[in-house]
Amino acid sequence: TLLERDGDVAHVACSGEISHLFTADRDPFVELLGPGCYGLTVVLDLQQTTFIESSGISWFVRCHTRFAKGGGKLILHSLPPIIEDFLVKLVRLDKL
């Protein structure tokens, strides 16, 4: 859900499970923010996220690469503790 957009910064919220979001035919960021979305700074609020599976992690990594190539940035914000522990301690996503 798009919460706010101010110039090159978009605040987006995700709720529920993160899984199978990105396919060759579907890109949630492009659908929500348009084709130039990877040039923006996107602050992704994960406060209402309940679960992330391996395909969701893969999606984060692909998005990070697309934002880096597009000149933008993806910032994960307000992660629930269990998801933060999983992404940081187990997957080491903080290194991206």
Coordinates of all heavy atoms in Angstrom, one line a residue:
T1 N 0.8 -1.2 0.0 CA 0.0 0.0 0.0 C 0.9 1.2 0.0 O 1.8 1.3 0.8 CB -0.9 0.0 1.3 OG1 -1.7 -1.2 1.3 CG2 -1.8 1.2 1.2
L2 N 0.6 2.2 -0.9 CA 1.3 3.5 -0.9 C 0.8 4.3 0.2 O -0.4 4.7 0.2 CB 1.2 4.2 -2.2 CG 1.8 5.5 -2.4 CD1 3.4 5.4 -2.2 CD2 1.5 6.1 -3.7
L3 N 1.6 4.7 1.2 CA 1.2 5.6 2.3 C 1.4 7.0 1.9 O 0.5 7.9 2.3 CB 2.0 5.2 3.5 CG 1.9 3.8 4.0 CD1 2.9 3.6 5.2 CD2 0.5 3.5 4.4
E4 N 2.5 7.3 1.3 CA 2.9 8.7 1.0 C 4.0 8.8 -0.1 O 4.8 7.9 -0.1 CB 3.3 9.4 2.3 CG 3.7 10.9 2.1 CD 4.3 11.5 3.4 OE1 4.5 10.8 4.4 OE2 4.5 12.7 3.3
R5 N 3.9 9.8 -0.9 CA 5.0 10.0 -1.8 C 5.3 11.5 -1.9 O 4.5 12.3 -2.1 CB 4.6 9.5 -3.3 CG 5.8 9.7 -4.2 CD 5.7 8.8 -5.4 NE 6.8 9.1 -6.3 CZ 6.9 8.6 -7.5 NH1 5.9 7.9 -8.0 NH2 7.9 8.9 -8.3
D6 N 6.6 11.7 -1.6 CA 7.1 13.1 -1.6 C 8.3 13.2 -2.4 O 9.4 12.8 -2.0 CB 7.4 13.5 -0.1 CG 7.8 14.9 0.0 OD1 7.6 15.7 -0.9 OD2 8.4 15.3 1.1
G7 N 8.1 13.6 -3.7 CA 9.2 13.7 -4.6 C 9.8 12.3 -4.9 O 9.1 11.4 -5.4
D8 N 11.1 12.1 -4.6 CA 11.8 10.9 -4.9 C 11.7 9.9 -3.8 O 12.4 8.9 -3.8 CB 13.2 11.1 -5.3 CG 13.3 11.8 -6.6 OD1 12.4 11.7 -7.4 OD2 14.4 12.4 -6.9
V9 N 10.9 10.1 -2.8 CA 10.8 9.2 -1.6 C 9.3 8.7 -1.5 O 8.4 9.5 -1.5 CB 11.1 9.9 -0.3 CG1 11.0 9.0 0.9 CG2 12.6 10.4 -0.4
A10 N 9.2 7.4 -1.5 CA 7.9 6.8 -1.4 C 7.8 5.9 -0.1 O 8.7 5.2 0.1 CB 7.5 5.9 -2.6
H11 N 6.8 6.1 0.7 CA 6.6 5.3 1.9 C 5.5 4.3 1.6 O 4.4 4.7 1.2 CB 6.1 6.2 3.1 CG 7.2 7.1 3.5 ND1 8.1 6.8 4.5 CD2 7.5 8.4 3.0 CE1 8.9 7.9 4.7 NE2 8.6 8.8 3.8
V12 N 5.9 3.0 1.7 CA 5.0 1.9 1.3 C 4.9 1.0 2.5 O 5.8 0.8 3.2 CB 5.6 1.2 0.1 CG1 4.8 0.0 -0.3 CG2 5.8 2.1 -1.1
A13 N 3.7 0.4 2.7 CA 3.5 -0.6 3.7 C 3.1 -1.9 3.2 O 2.5 -2.0 2.1 CB 2.4 -0.1 4.7
C14 N 3.6 -2.9 3.8 CA 3.3 -4.3 3.4 C 2.7 -5.0 4.7 O 3.1 -4.8 5.8 CB 4.6 -5.0 3.0 SG 4.3 -6.7 2.5
S15 N 1.6 -5.8 4.4 CA 1.0 -6.5 5.5 C 0.8 -8.0 5.2 O 0.8 -8.3 4.0 CB -0.3 -5.9 6.0 OG -1.2 -6.0 4.9
G16 N 0.8 -8.8 6.2 CA 0.5 -10.3 5.9 C 1.8 -11.0 5.5 O 2.9 -10.6 6.0
E17 N 1.7 -11.9 4.7 CA 2.9 -12.8 4.3 C 3.6 -12.2 3.0 O 2.9 -11.7 2.1 CB 2.4 -14.2 4.0 CG 1.9 -14.9 5.2 CD 1.5 -16.3 4.9 OE1 1.7 -16.8 3.8 OE2 1.0 -17.0 5.9
I18 N 4.9 -12.3 3.0 CA 5.7 -11.9 1.8 C 6.1 -13.2 1.2 O 7.0 -13.9 1.7 CB 6.9 -11.0 2.2 CG1 6.4 -9.7 2.8 CG2 7.7 -10.8 1.0 CD1 7.4 -8.8 3.2
S19 N 5.5 -13.6 0.1 CA 5.8 -14.8 -0.6 C 5.3 -14.6 -2.1 O 4.2 -14.1 -2.3 CB 5.2 -16.0 0.0 OG 3.8 -15.9 0.0
H20 N 6.1 -15.1 -3.0 CA 5.7 -15.1 -4.4 C 5.2 -13.8 -4.9 O 4.2 -13.7 -5.7 CB 4.6 -16.2 -4.7 CG 5.0 -17.5 -4.2 ND1 5.9 -18.3 -4.9 CD2 4.6 -18.3 -3.2 CE1 6.1 -19.4 -4.2 NE2 5.3 -19.5 -3.2
L21 N 5.8 -12.7 -4.5 CA 5.4 -11.4 -4.9 C 5.9 -11.0 -6.3 O 5.3 -10.2 -7.0 CB 5.9 -10.3 -3.9 CG 5.3 -10.3 -2.5 CD1 6.1 -9.3 -1.6 CD2 3.9 -9.9 -2.6
F22 N 7.0 -11.5 -6.6 CA 7.7 -11.1 -7.9 C 7.7 -12.2 -8.9 O 8.3 -13.3 -8.6 CB 9.1 -10.6 -7.6 CG 9.9 -10.1 -8.7 CD1 9.8 -8.8 -9.1 CD2 10.6 -10.9 -9.5 CE1 10.5 -8.3 -10.2 CE2 11.3 -10.5 -10.6 CZ 11.2 -9.1 -11.0
T23 N 7.2 -12.0 -10.0 CA 7.3 -13.0 -11.1 C 7.7 -12.2 -12.4 O 7.7 -11.0 -12.3 CB 6.0 -13.7 -11.3 OG1 5.0 -12.8 -11.8 CG2 5.5 -14.4 -10.1
A24 N 7.9 -12.9 -13.4 CA 8.2 -12.2 -14.7 C 7.1 -11.3 -15.1 O 7.3 -10.3 -15.8 CB 8.5 -13.3 -15.8
D25 N 5.8 -11.7 -14.8 CA 4.7 -10.9 -15.2 C 4.2 -9.9 -14.2 O 3.4 -9.0 -14.5 CB 3.5 -11.9 -15.5 CG 3.8 -12.9 -16.6 OD1 4.7 -12.5 -17.4 OD2 3.3 -14.0 -16.5
R26 N 4.7 -9.9 -13.0 CA 4.2 -9.1 -11.9 C 5.3 -8.5 -11.0 O 6.1 -9.3 -10.5 CB 3.2 -9.9 -11.0 CG 2.6 -9.0 -10.0 CD 1.4 -9.7 -9.3 NE 0.8 -8.8 -8.3 CZ 1.1 -8.8 -7.0 NH1 2.0 -9.6 -6.5 NH2 0.5 -7.9 -6.3
D27 N 5.3 -7.2 -10.9 CA 6.2 -6.6 -10.0 C 5.4 -5.6 -9.1 O 5.0 -4.5 -9.6 CB 7.3 -5.8 -10.8 CG 8.4 -5.2 -9.9 OD1 8.1 -4.8 -8.8 OD2 9.5 -5.1 -10.4
P28 N 5.3 -5.9 -7.8 CA 4.4 -5.0 -7.0 C 4.9 -3.5 -6.9 O 4.1 -2.6 -6.9 CB 4.6 -5.6 -5.6 CG 4.9 -7.1 -5.9 CD 5.7 -7.0 -7.1
F29 N 6.2 -3.3 -7.0 CA 6.7 -1.9 -6.9 C 6.3 -1.2 -8.2 O 5.9 0.0 -8.2 CB 8.2 -1.8 -6.7 CG 8.6 -2.1 -5.2 CD1 9.6 -3.0 -4.9 CD2 8.0 -1.4 -4.2 CE1 9.9 -3.3 -3.6 CE2 8.3 -1.7 -2.9 CZ 9.3 -2.6 -2.6
V30 N 6.5 -1.8 -9.3 CA 6.1 -1.1 -10.6 C 4.6 -0.9 -10.7 O 4.1 0.2 -11.1 CB 6.6 -2.0 -11.8 CG1 6.0 -1.4 -13.1 CG2 8.1 -2.0 -11.9
E31 N 3.8 -1.9 -10.2 CA 2.4 -1.7 -10.2 C 1.9 -0.6 -9.3 O 1.0 0.2 -9.6 CB 1.7 -3.0 -9.7 CG 1.8 -4.2 -10.6 CD 1.3 -5.5 -10.0 OE1 0.6 -5.4 -9.0 OE2 1.5 -6.5 -10.7
L32 N 2.6 -0.4 -8.2 CA 2.2 0.6 -7.2 C 2.8 2.0 -7.5 O 2.1 3.0 -7.4 CB 2.7 0.2 -5.8 CG 2.2 1.0 -4.6 CD1 0.7 1.0 -4.4 CD2 2.9 0.5 -3.3
L33 N 4.0 2.0 -8.0 CA 4.7 3.3 -8.1 C 5.1 3.7 -9.5 O 5.5 4.8 -9.8 CB 6.0 3.3 -7.3 CG 5.9 3.0 -5.8 CD1 7.2 2.7 -5.2 CD2 5.2 4.1 -5.1
G34 N 4.9 2.8 -10.5 CA 5.2 3.1 -11.9 C 6.5 2.6 -12.3 O 7.3 2.1 -11.5
P35 N 6.8 2.7 -13.6 CA 8.0 2.1 -14.2 C 9.3 2.7 -13.7 O 10.3 2.1 -13.8 CB 7.8 2.3 -15.7 CG 6.7 3.2 -15.9 CD 5.9 3.2 -14.6
G36 N 9.3 3.9 -13.2 CA 10.5 4.6 -12.7 C 10.8 4.3 -11.2 O 11.6 5.0 -10.6
C37 N 10.1 3.4 -10.7 CA 10.1 3.2 -9.2 C 11.5 2.8 -8.7 O 11.8 3.2 -7.6 CB 9.1 2.1 -8.8 SG 9.5 0.4 -9.4
Y38 N 12.3 2.2 -9.5 CA 13.6 1.7 -9.0 C 14.6 2.9 -9.0 O 15.8 2.7 -8.5 CB 14.2 0.6 -9.8 CG 13.3 -0.7 -9.5 CD1 12.4 -1.2 -10.4 CD2 13.5 -1.3 -8.3 CE1 11.7 -2.3 -10.2 CE2 12.7 -2.5 -8.0 CZ 11.8 -2.9 -8.9 OH 11.1 -4.0 -8.6
G39 N 14.2 4.1 -9.3 CA 15.0 5.3 -9.2 C 14.7 6.0 -7.9 O 15.3 7.1 -7.6
L40 N 13.7 5.6 -7.2 CA 13.2 6.2 -6.0 C 13.9 5.7 -4.7 O 14.4 4.6 -4.8 CB 11.7 6.0 -5.8 CG 10.8 6.5 -7.0 CD1 9.4 6.1 -6.7 CD2 10.9 8.0 -7.1
T41 N 13.7 6.4 -3.6 CA 14.0 5.8 -2.3 C 12.7 5.3 -1.8 O 11.7 6.1 -1.6 CB 14.6 6.9 -1.4 OG1 15.9 7.3 -1.9 CG2 14.8 6.3 0.0
V42 N 12.6 4.0 -1.6 CA 11.3 3.4 -1.1 C 11.5 2.9 0.3 O 12.4 2.1 0.6 CB 10.9 2.3 -2.0 CG1 9.7 1.6 -1.4 CG2 10.6 2.8 -3.4
V43 N 10.8 3.5 1.2 CA 10.8 3.1 2.6 C 9.6 2.1 2.8 O 8.5 2.5 2.7 CB 10.6 4.3 3.6 CG1 10.7 3.9 5.0 CG2 11.7 5.4 3.3
L44 N 10.0 0.8 3.0 CA 9.0 -0.2 3.1 C 8.8 -0.6 4.5 O 9.6 -1.2 5.2 CB 9.5 -1.5 2.3 CG 8.6 -2.7 2.3 CD1 7.3 -2.3 1.6 CD2 9.3 -3.8 1.5
D45 N 7.6 -0.2 5.0 CA 7.2 -0.5 6.4 C 6.7 -1.9 6.5 O 5.7 -2.3 5.9 CB 6.1 0.5 6.8 CG 5.6 0.4 8.2 OD1 5.8 -0.7 8.9 OD2 5.0 1.3 8.7
L46 N 7.3 -2.7 7.3 CA 7.0 -4.1 7.4 C 6.3 -4.4 8.8 O 6.2 -5.6 9.2 CB 8.3 -5.0 7.3 CG 8.9 -4.9 5.9 CD1 10.2 -5.7 5.9 CD2 8.0 -5.5 4.8
Q47 N 5.9 -3.4 9.5 CA 5.3 -3.6 10.8 C 4.2 -4.6 10.9 O 4.1 -5.4 11.8 CB 4.8 -2.2 11.3 CG 4.4 -2.3 12.8 CD 4.0 -0.9 13.3 OE1 3.9 0.1 12.5 NE2 3.9 -0.7 14.6
Q48 N 3.4 -4.7 9.8 CA 2.2 -5.6 9.8 C 2.5 -6.9 9.1 O 1.6 -7.6 8.7 CB 1.0 -4.9 9.2 CG 0.6 -3.6 9.9 CD 0.1 -3.9 11.3 OE1 -0.6 -4.9 11.6 NE2 0.6 -3.1 12.3
T49 N 3.8 -7.1 8.8 CA 4.2 -8.4 8.1 C 4.2 -9.5 9.1 O 4.8 -9.3 10.2 CB 5.5 -8.2 7.4 OG1 5.4 -7.1 6.5 CG2 5.9 -9.4 6.7
T50 N 3.7 -10.6 8.8 CA 3.6 -11.7 9.7 C 4.5 -12.9 9.4 O 4.9 -13.7 10.2 CB 2.2 -12.3 9.7 OG1 1.8 -12.7 8.4 CG2 1.2 -11.3 10.3
F51 N 5.0 -12.9 8.1 CA 5.8 -14.1 7.7 C 6.5 -13.8 6.4 O 6.0 -13.1 5.6 CB 4.8 -15.3 7.5 CG 5.5 -16.5 7.0 CD1 6.2 -17.4 7.9 CD2 5.4 -16.9 5.7 CE1 6.8 -18.5 7.4 CE2 6.0 -18.1 5.2 CZ 6.7 -18.9 6.1
I52 N 7.8 -14.2 6.3 CA 8.5 -14.1 5.1 C 9.1 -15.5 4.8 O 9.8 -16.1 5.6 CB 9.6 -13.1 5.2 CG1 9.1 -11.7 5.5 CG2 10.5 -13.1 3.9 CD1 10.1 -10.6 5.7
E53 N 8.8 -16.0 3.6 CA 9.4 -17.3 3.2 C 10.6 -17.0 2.2 O 10.9 -15.9 1.9 CB 8.3 -18.2 2.5 CG 7.8 -17.6 1.2 CD 6.9 -18.6 0.5 OE1 6.3 -19.5 1.2 OE2 6.6 -18.4 -0.6
S54 N 11.2 -18.1 1.8 CA 12.4 -18.0 1.0 C 12.2 -17.2 -0.3 O 13.1 -16.4 -0.7 CB 13.0 -19.3 0.7 OG 12.1 -20.1 0.0
S55 N 11.1 -17.3 -0.9 CA 10.8 -16.6 -2.1 C 10.7 -15.1 -1.8 O 11.1 -14.2 -2.7 CB 9.5 -17.1 -2.9 OG 8.4 -16.9 -2.1
G56 N 10.2 -14.7 -0.7 CA 10.2 -13.3 -0.2 C 11.6 -12.8 0.0 O 11.8 -11.6 -0.4
I57 N 12.4 -13.5 0.5 CA 13.8 -13.1 0.7 C 14.5 -12.9 -0.6 O 15.2 -11.9 -0.9 CB 14.6 -14.1 1.6 CG1 14.0 -14.1 3.0 CG2 16.1 -13.8 1.6 CD1 14.5 -15.3 3.8
S58 N 14.3 -13.9 -1.5 CA 14.8 -13.8 -2.9 C 14.3 -12.5 -3.6 O 15.0 -11.8 -4.3 CB 14.4 -15.0 -3.7 OG 14.9 -14.9 -5.0
W59 N 13.0 -12.2 -3.3 CA 12.4 -11.0 -3.9 C 13.1 -9.7 -3.3 O 13.4 -8.8 -4.1 CB 10.9 -10.9 -3.6 CG 10.2 -9.7 -4.1 CD1 9.9 -9.4 -5.4 CD2 9.7 -8.7 -3.3 NE1 9.3 -8.2 -5.4 CE2 9.1 -7.7 -4.1 CE3 9.7 -8.4 -1.9 CZ2 8.5 -6.6 -3.7 CZ3 9.1 -7.3 -1.4 CH2 8.5 -6.3 -2.3
F60 N 13.4 -9.7 -2.0 CA 14.1 -8.6 -1.5 C 15.5 -8.4 -2.1 O 15.9 -7.3 -2.4 CB 14.4 -8.7 0.1 CG 13.2 -8.4 0.9 CD1 12.9 -9.1 2.0 CD2 12.4 -7.3 0.6 CE1 11.8 -8.8 2.8 CE2 11.3 -6.9 1.4 CZ 11.0 -7.7 2.5
V61 N 16.2 -9.5 -2.3 CA 17.5 -9.4 -2.9 C 17.4 -8.9 -4.4 O 18.2 -8.0 -4.8 CB 18.3 -10.8 -2.9 CG1 19.6 -10.8 -3.7 CG2 18.5 -11.2 -1.4
R62 N 16.5 -9.4 -5.1 CA 16.3 -8.9 -6.5 C 15.9 -7.4 -6.5 O 16.4 -6.7 -7.4 CB 15.2 -9.7 -7.2 CG 15.7 -11.1 -7.7 CD 14.7 -11.8 -8.6 NE 13.4 -11.9 -8.1 CZ 13.0 -13.0 -7.5 NH1 13.8 -14.1 -7.3 NH2 11.7 -13.1 -7.0
C63 N 15.0 -7.0 -5.6 CA 14.7 -5.6 -5.5 C 15.9 -4.8 -5.2 O 16.1 -3.7 -5.8 CB 13.6 -5.4 -4.5 SG 12.0 -6.0 -5.0
H64 N 16.7 -5.2 -4.2 CA 17.9 -4.5 -3.9 C 18.8 -4.2 -5.1 O 19.2 -3.1 -5.4 CB 18.7 -5.2 -2.8 CG 20.0 -4.6 -2.6 ND1 20.3 -3.5 -1.9 CD2 21.3 -5.1 -3.0 CE1 21.5 -3.2 -1.9 NE2 22.2 -4.2 -2.5
T65 N 18.9 -5.3 -5.9 CA 19.7 -5.2 -7.1 C 19.1 -4.2 -8.1 O 19.8 -3.4 -8.7 CB 19.9 -6.6 -7.8 OG1 20.5 -7.5 -6.9 CG2 20.7 -6.5 -9.1
R66 N 17.8 -4.3 -8.3 CA 17.1 -3.3 -9.2 C 17.2 -1.9 -8.7 O 17.4 -1.0 -9.5 CB 15.7 -3.8 -9.4 CG 15.5 -5.0 -10.2 CD 14.1 -5.4 -10.4 NE 14.0 -6.6 -11.3 CZ 13.2 -6.7 -12.2 NH1 12.2 -5.8 -12.4 NH2 13.2 -7.8 -13.0
F67 N 17.0 -1.7 -7.4 CA 17.2 -0.3 -6.9 C 18.6 0.2 -7.1 O 18.8 1.3 -7.5 CB 16.8 -0.3 -5.4 CG 15.3 -0.1 -5.2 CD1 14.5 -1.3 -4.9 CD2 14.6 1.1 -5.4 CE1 13.2 -1.2 -4.7 CE2 13.3 1.2 -5.2 CZ 12.5 0.1 -4.8
A68 N 19.6 -0.6 -6.9 CA 21.0 -0.2 -7.0 C 21.3 0.1 -8.5 O 21.9 1.2 -8.8 CB 21.9 -1.4 -6.6
K69 N 20.8 -0.7 -9.4 CA 21.0 -0.4 -10.8 C 20.2 0.9 -11.3 O 20.6 1.6 -12.2 CB 20.6 -1.6 -11.7 CG 21.5 -2.7 -11.6 CD 21.1 -3.9 -12.5 CE 22.1 -5.0 -12.3 NZ 21.6 -6.2 -13.1
G70 N 19.0 1.1 -10.7 CA 18.2 2.2 -11.1 C 18.5 3.5 -10.4 O 17.9 4.5 -10.7
G71 N 19.4 3.5 -9.5 CA 19.8 4.7 -8.8 C 19.0 5.0 -7.5 O 19.1 6.1 -6.9
G72 N 18.1 4.1 -7.1 CA 17.3 4.3 -6.0 C 17.8 3.5 -4.8 O 18.9 3.0 -4.8
K73 N 16.9 3.4 -3.8 CA 17.3 2.7 -2.6 C 16.0 2.1 -2.0 O 15.0 2.7 -1.9 CB 17.9 3.6 -1.6 CG 18.4 3.0 -0.3 CD 19.0 4.0 0.7 CE 20.3 4.5 0.2 NZ 21.0 5.4 1.2
L74 N 16.2 0.9 -1.4 CA 15.1 0.2 -0.7 C 15.5 0.2 0.8 O 16.5 -0.4 1.1 CB 14.8 -1.2 -1.2 CG 13.8 -2.1 -0.5 CD1 12.4 -1.4 -0.6 CD2 13.8 -3.5 -1.1
I75 N 14.6 0.7 1.6 CA 14.9 0.7 3.0 C 13.8 -0.1 3.7 O 12.6 0.3 3.6 CB 14.9 2.2 3.6 CG1 16.0 3.0 2.9 CG2 15.1 2.2 5.1 CD1 15.9 4.5 3.2
L76 N 14.1 -1.1 4.4 CA 13.2 -1.9 5.2 C 13.0 -1.2 6.6 O 14.0 -0.9 7.3 CB 13.7 -3.3 5.4 CG 14.0 -4.1 4.1 CD1 14.4 -5.5 4.4 CD2 12.8 -4.1 3.1
H77 N 11.8 -1.0 6.9 CA 11.5 -0.2 8.1 C 10.5 -0.9 9.0 O 9.6 -1.6 8.6 CB 10.8 1.1 7.6 CG 10.5 2.1 8.7 ND1 9.4 2.1 9.4 CD2 11.2 3.2 9.1 CE1 9.4 3.1 10.3 NE2 10.5 3.8 10.1
S78 N 10.6 -0.7 10.3 CA 9.7 -1.3 11.3 C 9.4 -2.8 11.2 O 8.3 -3.2 11.2 CB 8.3 -0.5 11.3 OG 8.5 0.8 11.6
L79 N 10.5 -3.5 11.2 CA 10.4 -5.0 11.1 C 10.0 -5.5 12.4 O 10.5 -5.2 13.5 CB 11.7 -5.6 10.7 CG 12.2 -5.4 9.3 CD1 12.7 -4.1 9.0 CD2 13.2 -6.5 8.9
P80 N 9.0 -6.5 12.5 CA 8.7 -7.1 13.7 C 9.9 -7.9 14.2 O 10.7 -8.4 13.3 CB 7.6 -8.1 13.3 CG 7.0 -7.5 12.1 CD 8.1 -6.8 11.4
P81 N 10.1 -8.0 15.5 CA 11.4 -8.7 16.0 C 11.7 -10.0 15.4 O 12.8 -10.3 15.1 CB 11.1 -8.7 17.5 CG 10.2 -7.6 17.8 CD 9.3 -7.5 16.6
I82 N 10.7 -10.9 15.3 CA 10.9 -12.2 14.7 C 11.4 -12.2 13.3 O 12.3 -12.9 12.9 CB 9.7 -13.1 14.9 CG1 10.1 -14.6 14.7 CG2 8.6 -12.7 14.0 CD1 9.1 -15.6 15.2
I83 N 10.9 -11.3 12.5 CA 11.3 -11.1 11.1 C 12.7 -10.5 11.0 O 13.5 -10.9 10.2 CB 10.2 -10.4 10.3 CG1 9.0 -11.3 10.2 CG2 10.7 -10.0 8.9 CD1 7.8 -10.6 9.5
E84 N 12.9 -9.5 11.9 CA 14.2 -8.8 11.9 C 15.3 -9.9 12.3 O 16.3 -9.9 11.6 CB 14.2 -7.7 12.9 CG 15.6 -6.9 12.9 CD 15.5 -5.7 13.7 OE1 14.6 -5.5 14.5 OE2 16.5 -4.9 13.7
D85 N 15.0 -10.7 13.3 CA 16.0 -11.7 13.7 C 16.3 -12.6 12.5 O 17.4 -13.0 12.3 CB 15.5 -12.5 14.9 CG 15.6 -11.7 16.2 OD1 16.3 -10.6 16.2 OD2 15.0 -12.2 17.2
F86 N 15.3 -13.1 11.9 CA 15.4 -14.0 10.7 C 16.2 -13.4 9.6 O 17.2 -14.0 9.1 CB 14.0 -14.4 10.2 CG 14.1 -15.3 9.1 CD1 14.5 -16.6 9.2 CD2 13.7 -14.9 7.8 CE1 14.6 -17.5 8.1 CE2 13.8 -15.8 6.7 CZ 14.2 -17.1 6.9
L87 N 15.9 -12.1 9.2 CA 16.6 -11.5 8.1 C 18.0 -11.1 8.4 O 18.9 -11.1 7.6 CB 15.8 -10.3 7.6 CG 14.4 -10.5 7.0 CD1 13.7 -9.2 6.6 CD2 14.6 -11.4 5.7
V88 N 18.2 -10.7 9.7 CA 19.5 -10.2 10.0 C 20.5 -11.3 10.5 O 21.6 -11.4 10.0 CB 19.4 -9.0 11.1 CG1 20.8 -8.6 11.6 CG2 18.7 -7.8 10.5
K89 N 20.0 -12.0 11.5 CA 20.9 -13.1 12.1 C 21.1 -14.3 11.3 O 22.1 -14.9 11.2 CB 20.3 -13.4 13.5 CG 20.4 -12.3 14.5 CD 19.9 -12.7 15.8 CE 19.9 -11.6 16.8 NZ 19.3 -11.9 18.1
L90 N 20.0 -14.7 10.6 CA 20.1 -16.0 9.9 C 20.4 -15.8 8.4 O 21.3 -16.4 7.9 CB 18.7 -16.7 9.9 CG 18.7 -18.1 9.6 CD1 19.5 -18.9 10.6 CD2 17.3 -18.7 9.6
V91 N 19.8 -14.8 7.8 CA 20.0 -14.6 6.3 C 21.1 -13.6 6.1 O 21.7 -13.5 5.0 CB 18.7 -14.1 5.7 CG1 18.9 -13.9 4.2 CG2 17.6 -15.2 5.9
R92 N 21.4 -12.7 7.0 CA 22.4 -11.7 6.9 C 22.1 -10.6 5.8 O 23.0 -10.1 5.2 CB 23.8 -12.3 6.7 CG 24.3 -13.3 7.7 CD 24.4 -12.7 9.0 NE 25.3 -11.6 9.0 CZ 25.8 -11.1 10.1 NH1 25.7 -11.6 11.2 NH2 26.6 -10.0 10.0
L93 N 20.8 -10.4 5.7 CA 20.3 -9.4 4.7 C 20.8 -8.0 5.0 O 20.9 -7.2 4.2 CB 18.8 -9.5 4.6 CG 18.1 -9.0 3.4 CD1 18.6 -9.8 2.2 CD2 16.6 -9.0 3.5
D94 N 21.2 -7.8 6.3 CA 21.7 -6.4 6.7 C 23.0 -6.1 6.0 O 23.3 -4.9 5.9 CB 21.8 -6.3 8.2 CG 22.8 -7.3 8.7 OD1 22.9 -8.5 8.2 OD2 23.6 -7.0 9.7
K95 N 23.7 -7.1 5.4 CA 24.9 -6.8 4.7 C 24.7 -6.2 3.3 O 25.6 -5.6 2.7 CB 25.7 -8.1 4.5 CG 26.1 -8.7 5.9 CD 26.9 -7.8 6.7 CE 27.3 -8.4 8.0 NZ 27.9 -7.5 8.9
L96 N 23.4 -6.2 2.8 CA 23.1 -5.6 1.6 C 22.9 -4.1 1.8 O 23.0 -3.3 1.1 CB 21.8 -6.2 1.0 CG 22.0 -7.6 0.4 CD1 20.6 -8.0 -0.1 CD2 23.0 -7.7 -0.7

